Structure formats: structure tokens, C-alpha cells
Amino acid sequence: MALFSSLTPVFIALLCVVVVFILKRFQKKESESDTSPNCTVKSRPWVDEDLKDDTEINTKEEDGDWAESEEDVPHVSYTTTRYPADVMLQRSQEFYALLNQRRSVRFISPEPVPREVIDNVIRTAGTSPSGAHTEPWTFVVVADAEMKHKIREIVEEEEEINYRQRMGDKWVGDLQRLRTNWIKEYLDIAPYLILIFKQTYGIHASGKKKTHYYNEISVSIACGILLAALQNVGLVTVTSTPLNCGPQLRLLLRRPANEKLLMLLPVGYPASDATVPQLTRKSLDDIMVCV
Amino acid sequence: MALFSSLTPVFIALLCVVVVFILKRFQKKESESDTSPNCTVKSRPWVDEDLKDDTEINTKEEDGDWAESEEDVPHVSYTTTRYPADVMLQRSQEFYALLNQRRSVRFISPEPVPREVIDNVIRTAGTSPSGAHTEPWTFVVVADAEMKHKIREIVEEEEEINYRQRMGDKWVGDLQRLRTNWIKEYLDIAPYLILIFKQTYGIHASGKKKTHYYNEISVSIACGILLAALQNVGLVTVTSTPLNCGPQLRLLLRRPANEKLLMLLPVGYPASDATVPQLTRKSLDDIMVCV
């Protein structure tokens, strides 16, 4: 009893330490589950792994002018075509009229599209500016029917999960109506799928990772130029960002770990019976402020 | 002494709890300072406030097709101009040749640019697709000389901080040479500055915040289309992303709290003695993969 009595302080101390650790661990678990709403769904290790490897913490990015790394490159003189004011105005109106006809089209014709045209629109996208001239983009052009179908299966499976989650139990009896939302026939039908990957980092000669600052913004700008190039030749697409499918599609297409899927564009002529939602665009006054 | 002896277990227990808390807190502080490399510099509350209000947690974003919210909008039939294959090919080559002449140009002429041309290039950027058709962009066009100068002061001050931090002590004696890196004369000289803000959220009629999914990607795509529209009329710009200046520039331009600066583009004709770094672009084989 004397022995037990002399050990009491030690027992109590240990007990307190254990209790505090358990409490801390509990708090941590709770906050983890707050930030990952999908964790109650089936395990999808490829998604988690990919999301963990995110080198794009905005607050760490460098500031300013994108070409600072070009400091030591020799300069050459630059000129560009100078149009008279009336020609400039006419060109600006015509380009606006062309781009204003662009719509996201989900009904794509299976007719073949000249391959060289696809090459040229991708060349055009590749003229985009990028942070420190890293050109952090890979355009994967899929024409193979079997590969297109595999892509469709992955995208539809993820879309179904998303819809079911979002709808919850109250819609469980009405899934047939919603089914149209995750069926992406155009992924089989479009003659080309263009999957645009952002290269989140590069590899130095030393084997060290080199962060690509602003890679997502750079690749998105390139996508804007790609959309303009497609519209210019009379082809249509629909902009989609299959976030959770990215890791699976990356593995399917054997892209390296530094590449993350940013966008998936089915490309072709519009189907003869194509329709689009009757939407309007904001007016110039709603998007422009003059100072 | 008997009293002290009987209290010993309580003292030890309290001591242990205090030690564990201190250790935990210390660990937390350490990890916080890891993620904010700038925290030792002078306090900049507007930056911190703005960075805190970041509604763009990628993992929370919705998946897939950008127009799901359009489900209940009536559809109308859609057609687009159909060009013969040889015309398509020619148009794709010409557009590539036009865009391939684009370069980031820092030497901009002060000559005035027709205002209607600027209106049209911004109209064109506004045709960009956006997540759930939110059109989450505001283009602030600054022509006022005094305002341009205030913008320059803010940008240069931040750039100087960035350069001094990056260079560290060893360059302290050689700042004069580096000074050219944070001097942005073009911010005074260019006839127009276009500041592009992303609207990170909207406000429902109920006053509740409505997250704009993919707002940064959407606005970056619009910037890509804007760059193409500028190139099409013979104007030049340089893509810059003044991250830390965003909050100050937002206040200067009286933009609401839901808008964050994404890009700042000085726009004009190139100066007659303009130069650009002698850079090459990746070849098609380096950016395209065919499956």
C-alpha cells in the first residue's frame, strides 16, 4: 500500500498526458473530416494521392511580371502589324462577332475533322504566355475509339457519384430523370477529345523539383486561345473540368505525376440537330468599369 | 510537509498538462511560419485580410460539365459556319501565324488608341465560357493619368519588396543594377491599363454568398481570349499577376470585397524601339501527345 501510495503521482501524471493527447487527436480528426466532405464515400486512393500532391499554394507564388527569369536573355527588336484606326475597329468588330457565336455545344457530329486543323489549333494554343516562359501544358489528343470509351466510362462513373451525393436520399426514386446529367455520349461520338494537362512542376537537371508558378492560370489562358482557334475554323466543344477523374485519366493516358488534368474538350462539328440553352451574356456595362 | 506531500501528485499532473500544451502550441507555430514566408516582413493587413478570404478551395469544387445549372433553361437549335476542309486548314494556319507573332511587350508607345477598339476587345473577352455561366469577371479600364501613376506606385513598391527579399543581403550593395526589375514605366506610359478582377463569389437575393466555382479558371480563359483579341488589332501587352498588390489596387479602384485582382495588362501600340527577349517556343511534338 505504501508502494502504491508513492506511485500515485506518477500514475496521475501519465493519465493526464494520455487524456490530453487523446483530446488533441480527436480534435484533429474532426477538423480533417470537415475539409474532406467525400471521405464517407467509397475509398478512392488515386484521388486522394493526387490531391495531396498539390504544389499550388497561392500564397507561395511569386509576384509580378511573368518574364523575370528572362533577365539575362538577349533582346531583339519587335514590331507588329500597324493597322489604320478604321481597320482596327473593323477587325475588332469582326473578331467579336466571330467569338460571340461560340457556345458550349454538347451535341457533336461524328464526322471526321481534318487532322492538320487540330494540329494547328494546338500550335496556336501553344503561343500563350506562361509564368517565366515555362509553357507548362500538355495537350493529349484522343482519336482512338476504344480509348475514348474508356475515358467516357471513368467520367460517367465519377459524374454519377457526384450527382447521387448532391441529390441525397430525396431524389433516390427519381434517378432516371437525372440520368441524362451524367451520361456524356459526346465522349464516344466526338472525333477528337483534347485533354489538357497542367504541368505543376518541372524537373531540374539535378533531379530537383522546379515549381511552375501560375501553371493553372497559364494553362487556362492557353485554353482560352484554343477555344478562339476552334471557333475560328467552325468547330465546337464544351468546356469541362473533370476534377475527380483527373488522376484516373492521367493513369489511363500514362501521363507523368507532375501533370494534372485541367480540362477535357470534346471537339468536332456541331450535330445537325444540335441545341444549346437559351442564355444571354452580360452587357458591356455589366463587365467593364472605366476610370 | 504532510500537506505538501499529499499535493505532489496534483502539481506533477498540472505540470505535465502545461508541458504538453506548450509543446503542441510550439509545433503549431512552427508549421504556421513554414507556410507564410513573408511574415517577418512589415505588416500588410490588407494582404492578409484578402488572402484569408479565399473561397477557392479546389477540393470543394464541383465536378464536371460547366453548365449543369442550365438544366431547366429551354434549348434552341444551334448552327455555326461550316467551312470546306481547305478553307478550315487555311484559316487555322492564318490564325496560328497571327497569334504566333504575339509576344509580351514591356515597351509600349504613349500614342492614343481608339476607345471603341478597347470596348470591342473587352466585349470579345466577355464571350468566354464560365463555370455555371456565372461570367465572374470585371474589366477595369484605366485611362486617367493620375490613377495610372497611383497604380504604378503600388506595383513598384511591392515589386521592390519582392526583389529585396529574394536577393537577400548579398545583393544589398548592388540594388542599383536590379532597380530596372521593379521599375514599371509602362504603367504610366501605356494609354490603357486593363485590370482584370475575378469575382470569387456572388450575392444571392437573400444576401447569402454564392460561391463561383472555377472563377479563376474562367477568368483566365477570358484573359486568353482578350490576348487573342488584342493581337488581332495590332495592340500589345504584357501579362502580369501582381498578387500582393491586389488588395491595395482593389481599394484604390473601389472594387467590392468579392473581387480579387487576377491580372494587370498595360495596353497600347508597341514603342518604335520596342525589344523582346530572344525566346523560342516549344515545338508541337513537345506539347502534343496523340492517342
Side-chain angles (χ1 to χ4, degrees):
Chain A
M1 192 63 200
L3 179 70
F4 180 77
S5 174
S6 74
L7 280 179
T8 305
V10 179
F11 277 127
I12 292 179
L14 280 173
L15 191 71
C16 288
V17 171
V18 168
V19 166
V20 168
F21 261 104
I22 289 172
L23 278 174
K24 284 277 171 186
R25 186 151 295 226
F26 189 73
Q27 276 181 354
K28 202 181 154 205
K29 279 249 170 87
E30 213 168 41
S31 70
E32 270 171 6
S33 68
D34 275 356
T35 55
S36 55
N38 292 334
C39 69
T40 54
V41 194
K42 65 167 185 172
S43 165
R44 288 179 294 168
W46 53 86
V47 175
D48 304 334
E49 192 192 306
D50 229 56
L51 291 176
K52 242 183 273 165
D53 183 23
D54 194 349
T55 53
E56 295 179 293
I57 309 304
N58 271 328
T59 48
K60 279 187 189 170
E61 288 194 349
E62 289 186 22
D63 207 39
D65 191 318
W66 281 19
E68 279 154 8
S69 64
E70 296 165 10
E71 276 157 23
D72 298 325
V73 177
H75 274 237
V76 290
S77 69
Y78 179 81
T79 54
T80 186
T81 313
R82 175 73 181 249
Y83 305 102
D86 59 332
V87 177
M88 276 180 96
L89 190 58
Q90 199 195 331
R91 286 181 70 90
S92 69
Q93 280 161 349
E94 283 168 3
F95 196 64
Y96 168 61
L98 174 74
L99 272 284
N100 198 30
Q101 284 162 33
R102 192 203 57 75
R103 291 295 308 269
S104 292
V105 177
R106 285 160 197 76
F107 305 97
I108 295 176
S109 162
E111 291 166 90
V113 165
R115 174 72 223 201
E116 285 167 294
V117 170
I118 299 297
D119 290 353
N120 280 338
V121 296
I122 287 172
R123 271 192 192 98
T124 310
T127 67
S128 172
S130 54
H133 196 53
T134 45
E135 303 172 276
W137 37 66
T138 305
F139 299 89
V140 180
V141 179
V142 180
D144 180 69
E146 206 181 314
M147 189 59 92
K148 286 194 286 181
H149 192 67
K150 282 182 187 163
I151 291 169
R152 177 178 172 177
E153 284 174 344
I154 290 172
V155 172
E156 288 186 350
E157 194 194 337
E158 288 292 331
E159 287 280 289
E160 186 176 345
I161 292 170
N162 291 333
Y163 272 94
R164 284 179 188 266
Q165 272 183 267
R166 244 185 283 169
M167 296 308 153
D169 289 341
K170 67 173 181 168
W171 284 103
V172 141
D174 199 18
L175 280 170
Q176 193 54 39
R177 192 184 70 88
L178 288 163
R179 201 171 161 268
T180 48
N181 288 318
W182 69 73
I183 296 302
K184 311 277 180 199
E185 240 179 357
Y186 55 70
L187 294 176
D188 268 327
I189 292 174
Y192 293 107
L193 304 182
I194 304 181
L195 292 94
I196 301 148
F197 288 82
K198 55 181 186 179
Q199 298 166 357
T200 55
Y201 58 88
I203 310 286
H204 279 291
S206 65
K208 225 180 136 189
K209 278 186 189 183
K210 169 192 163 201
T211 305
H212 283 170
Y213 293 110
Y214 299 110
N215 67 76
E216 184 164 293
I217 296 177
S218 305
V219 181
S220 300
I221 292 175
C223 284
I225 293 176
L226 181 65
L227 293 178
L230 288 169
Q231 180 65 15
N232 176 60
V233 292
L235 293 173
V236 295
T237 187
V238 52
T239 317
S240 75
T241 43
L243 182 72
N244 286 339
C245 315
Q248 286 183 82
L249 293 176
R250 178 176 73 76
L251 292 176
L252 178 69
L253 297 165
R254 300 174 184 227
R255 301 310 307 154
N258 65 331
E259 296 191 3
K260 307 268 178 274
L261 183 66
L262 183 67
M263 247 169 261
L264 194 172
L265 305 179
V267 170
Y269 300 104
S272 56
D273 57 352
T275 60
V276 292
Q278 198 168 21
L279 295 174
T280 54
R281 291 190 169 120
K282 288 181 181 171
S283 71
L284 186 62
D285 289 343
D286 287 334
I287 64 170
M288 185 173 77
V289 174
C290 299
V291 178
Chain B
M1 193 62 201
L3 179 69
F4 180 79
S5 175
S6 74
L7 280 178
T8 305
V10 178
F11 279 126
I12 293 180
L14 280 173
L15 191 71
C16 287
V17 171
V18 168
V19 165
V20 167
F21 262 103
I22 289 171
L23 278 174
K24 285 276 173 185
R25 188 151 294 224
F26 189 74
Q27 277 182 354
K28 203 182 155 205
K29 279 251 169 83
E30 213 168 40
S31 71
E32 270 170 7
S33 68
D34 275 357
T35 57
S36 54
N38 292 334
C39 68
T40 54
V41 196
K42 65 168 185 172
S43 165
R44 288 179 294 169
W46 54 85
V47 175
D48 304 335
E49 191 192 306
D50 228 57
L51 291 176
K52 242 185 272 163
D53 182 24
D54 194 349
T55 54
E56 296 180 294
I57 309 304
N58 270 329
T59 48
K60 280 188 186 169
E61 289 194 347
E62 290 186 21
D63 206 40
D65 191 320
W66 281 19
E68 279 155 9
S69 65
E70 297 165 9
E71 276 157 21
D72 298 325
V73 177
H75 272 236
V76 291
S77 69
Y78 179 82
T79 54
T80 188
T81 313
R82 175 74 181 247
Y83 305 101
D86 58 333
V87 177
M88 277 180 95
L89 191 57
Q90 199 194 331
R91 287 181 69 92
S92 70
Q93 280 161 349
E94 284 169 2
F95 195 65
Y96 167 62
L98 174 74
L99 272 284
N100 198 32
Q101 283 162 35
R102 192 204 56 77
R103 290 295 307 269
S104 292
V105 178
R106 285 161 197 76
F107 305 97
I108 296 177
S109 163
E111 291 167 89
V113 165
R115 174 71 225 202
E116 285 167 292
V117 171
I118 300 297
D119 290 353
N120 280 338
V121 296
I122 287 173
R123 272 194 190 96
T124 310
T127 67
S128 172
S130 55
H133 195 52
T134 45
E135 301 171 278
W137 37 66
T138 305
F139 299 89
V140 180
V141 178
V142 180
D144 180 71
E146 206 181 313
M147 188 60 94
K148 285 194 288 182
H149 192 68
K150 282 182 187 163
I151 291 169
R152 177 178 173 179
E153 283 175 346
I154 290 171
V155 171
E156 288 186 351
E157 194 194 334
E158 288 291 330
E159 287 281 290
E160 187 177 345
I161 292 170
N162 292 332
Y163 271 94
R164 283 180 189 268
Q165 271 183 267
R166 244 184 282 168
M167 296 308 155
D169 289 340
K170 66 171 181 170
W171 284 102
V172 141
D174 198 17
L175 280 170
Q176 193 54 39
R177 192 185 70 87
L178 287 163
R179 201 169 160 269
T180 48
N181 288 317
W182 69 73
I183 297 300
K184 311 279 179 197
E185 240 179 359
Y186 55 70
L187 294 176
D188 268 326
I189 291 174
Y192 293 107
L193 305 182
I194 304 181
L195 291 95
I196 301 148
F197 288 83
K198 55 181 186 179
Q199 298 165 358
T200 55
Y201 58 87
I203 310 285
H204 279 293
S206 65
K208 225 181 135 188
K209 279 186 189 182
K210 169 193 162 200
T211 306
H212 284 170
Y213 292 110
Y214 299 110
N215 66 75
E216 184 163 294
I217 296 176
S218 304
V219 181
S220 300
I221 291 174
C223 284
I225 293 175
L226 182 64
L227 294 178
L230 288 169
Q231 180 64 17
N232 177 60
V233 292
L235 293 174
V236 295
T237 187
V238 51
T239 317
S240 76
T241 43
L243 181 71
N244 287 338
C245 316
Q248 286 183 82
L249 293 175
R250 179 176 72 76
L251 293 176
L252 177 69
L253 297 165
R254 301 174 183 226
R255 302 308 309 155
N258 65 331
E259 296 190 2
K260 307 268 177 273
L261 184 66
L262 183 66
M263 245 167 263
L264 193 172
L265 305 180
V267 171
Y269 300 103
S272 57
D273 57 352
T275 60
V276 293
Q278 197 167 23
L279 295 175
T280 54
R281 292 191 168 120
K282 288 180 182 172
S283 71
L284 186 61
D285 288 345
D286 287 334
I287 64 170
M288 186 173 77
V289 174
C290 299
V291 178

